[in-house]
Amino acid sequence: MNGFEIHRCYDEYGPIQVFEEGPYRYMTFGEGGEQSRILIEDPAKPVYQYTQAMLLALLFQPEPQQIIMLGLGAGSLANALLKHSDKVLIDTVELRPMVLDVAQRWFHLSTSSRLTIHLQNAVTYMDRNQQRSDKSDADLIFTDIYSDRGMQYEQIDPDFILNCYESLTDKGVLILNLWDEGKGFHPLARERLCKQFGDQWVYCPIDSGNLIVFAFKGGCPEISSRRLMPLANRLGKQLDIPLRQLLNHLQHS
């Protein structure tokens, strides 16, 4: 890793380190590589291509009212979504209290009242969410559950996917940040997504090896560059990210 360390702390899961590298600041969980990175002068601008690709979800739900985000990291995705809309409400679930503390102290995580943080296991949260009498379904559910060892397989567990499906609005979208294991797509993820969503999903492969999946509860919309490009241009300009180029990477299941 490049950069110089400016902070280190430990919890029961291991170290959390913060580094600075030129105009950037990033978080690691030890030897497993970077977990999150921000541009210090603009913390709401997603730096990683896979995070930018996750925001393609706004092409399908341009004005989300309720979002569930599983996995906080440094909070760049949450900051970007809050910047996109002054009406959206976000429930973010993070397992490690120390990660939240680091995101607030070192990564300019928003203090907006529209962002609620739940310190809980994401699988448990989604299971209990289904049992709440007052639960409100989400327009978008983002899952980005990683540790220092890589992607957590809980996010492709059939029961977890079912709980996400049932927590979406009728036209809601589930967005998963997966890892392709060098196979071009994750075979087990494909099997389990097809079981719950049929063929109503698309994915965006990323050079780093990430695969961003968009699964549609209400049926897959027409993925037409001609139809979506004007909105991609507007959103890309607003968020200062190359959504137009990423749109061209979308592939059908």
Side-chain angles (χ1 to χ4, degrees), residues 68 120 122-138 141 158-169 196 217:
I68 294 174
Q120 195 172 358
V123 175
T124 303
Y125 177 88
M126 294 306 299
D127 185 51
R128 291 178 177 172
N129 188 57
Q130 287 305 106
Q131 302 172 25
R132 290 171 49 198
S133 60
D134 62 339
K135 84 175 181 73
S136 57
D137 291 334
I141 299 177
D159 290 337
F160 177 76
I161 293 176
L162 174 61
N163 283 335
C164 289
Y165 179 89
E166 293 182 343
S167 295
L168 289 168
T169 58
Q196 185 62 59
K217 185 172 183 178

Side-chain angles (χ1 to χ4, degrees), residues 184-202:
F185 197 81
H186 197 296
L188 183 58
R190 181 184 294 275
E191 173 189 330
R192 291 176 174 177
L193 284 165
C194 285
K195 182 177 180 180
Q196 185 62 59
F197 287 90
D199 62 356
Q200 304 303 300
W201 53 279
V202 298

